[in-house]
Amino acid sequence: VDVWTGYAVNVISKNGDRKIVRGPQTVLLDYDQTLEEVQLSTGRPKNTNNLIKTVYLRHENNKVSDLVEVETKDFVKCMVKVSYCVNFEVEHENKWFNVNNYVKYLCDRERSLLKRAVKQYTIEEFYQHYSDIVRNVAIAADEENNTNGRFFPENGMIVYDCEVLGFQVEEEIEDMLTAHQREMVQNSLDLTNAEKRVAIVEKL
């Protein structure tokens, strides 16, 4: 069996012995050895309708995308498209295969955390800062003693970065938010112009 760079397999013997093999290398299986299978959720949002079955676990530079529905404090529902950057910590490699479907486990946990966090903001606050809010929750940036990312001790997985790829809200709400933003920008420009005129008058 060829194990490619960035991937790992779990070799299991009939007597219950396990051995994690990280690529790049080639493994010659004994007559009583097999490779443990894992299942990966697909689609957006991630679900179990169409699972990918494989024996290869990508433990480096892994990306998992998802679509998360959240609700703000004022009961406005939004859809956030995210992409998690995931690694598996080498010092916890004996746990890598403890979660059979790590993609679903990751997405379920992150969804729960995001929904709880977004519920603390109004739609106006979330609309202005959604990228930072989502990223900070996903990688646990606001928690002490966890500066490298959100770690999952169950399988040694760590989310070290999160890209916010998109944001959707009801069209009517989005139009209201856009109009409000334009009004705020216009007021800010008017205030700046008025302050400059006052400064010129004072100097004259």
Side-chain angles (χ1 to χ4, degrees):
V1 177
D2 292 324
V3 186
W4 311 302
T5 302
Y7 287 83
V9 295
N10 188 20
V11 181
I12 303 177
S13 302
K14 293 297 182 182
N15 61 5
D17 291 340
R18 303 172 59 191
K19 181 177 69 172
I20 304 295
V21 179
R22 289 183 278 125
Q25 61 178 299
T26 300
V27 183
L28 183 62
L29 299 180
D30 290 337
Y31 73 96
D32 65 336
Q33 290 181 326
T34 57
L35 299 179
E36 183 174 359
E37 181 182 86
V38 294
Q39 298 178 339
L40 308 177
S41 291
T42 60
R44 294 196 190 102
K46 287 289 184 290
N47 55 62
T48 55
N49 296 339
N50 187 19
L51 295 173
I52 295 177
K53 297 181 180 180
T54 179
V55 297
Y56 295 100
L57 173 72
R58 185 169 187 123
H59 66 89
E60 287 183 341
N61 305 318
N62 200 347
K63 284 204 169 185
V64 178
S65 60
D66 195 21
L67 198 60
V68 184
E69 183 182 62
V70 295
E71 187 178 78
T72 59
K73 184 163 60 175
D74 41 6
F75 307 106
V76 177
K77 292 184 178 180
C78 315
M79 296 294 290
V80 183
K81 186 179 179 181
V82 296
S83 177
Y84 306 113
C85 299
V86 182
N87 278 345
F88 285 79
E89 301 282 78
V90 175
E91 56 267 29
H92 299 279
E93 68 175 19
N94 61 322
K95 297 181 178 180
W96 286 359
F97 288 82
N98 284 1
V99 177
N100 181 256
N101 188 342
Y102 79 88
V103 173
K104 182 178 185 300
Y105 181 76
L106 165 66
C107 292
D108 286 350
R109 286 286 302 276
E110 291 285 13
R111 279 180 205 160
S112 176
L113 293 167
L114 288 171
K115 287 180 179 181
R116 189 169 64 221
V118 173
K119 200 68 177 174
Q120 302 173 13
Y121 299 91
T122 64
I123 183 58
E124 183 181 0
E125 295 168 340
F126 186 59
Y127 184 74
Q128 292 177 348
H129 307 289
Y130 68 87
S131 184
D132 289 336
I133 292 171
V134 172
R135 183 180 182 277
N136 290 342
V137 172
I139 66 172
D142 57 340
E143 296 182 9
E144 296 181 0
N145 304 322
N146 196 358
T147 57
N148 296 326
R150 183 174 292 283
F151 179 67
F152 295 86
E154 296 83 359
N155 64 342
M157 177 172 59
I158 185 168
V159 180
Y160 63 90
D161 199 5
C162 174
E163 301 175 59
V164 182
L165 304 177
F167 174 84
Q168 290 181 339
V169 68
E170 294 177 22
E171 187 174 350
E172 183 180 353
I173 300 294
E174 188 172 13
D175 291 342
M176 292 170 59
L177 291 168
T178 302
H180 177 68
Q181 289 292 100
R182 287 176 179 169
E183 183 182 356
M184 295 300 294
V185 171
Q186 185 62 53
N187 290 340
S188 178
L189 292 173
D190 291 343
L191 178 61
T192 301
N193 290 335
E195 290 174 344
K196 288 182 179 178
R197 286 196 297 270
V198 169
I200 291 173
V201 170
E202 287 177 348
K203 289 184 178 180
L204 290 174

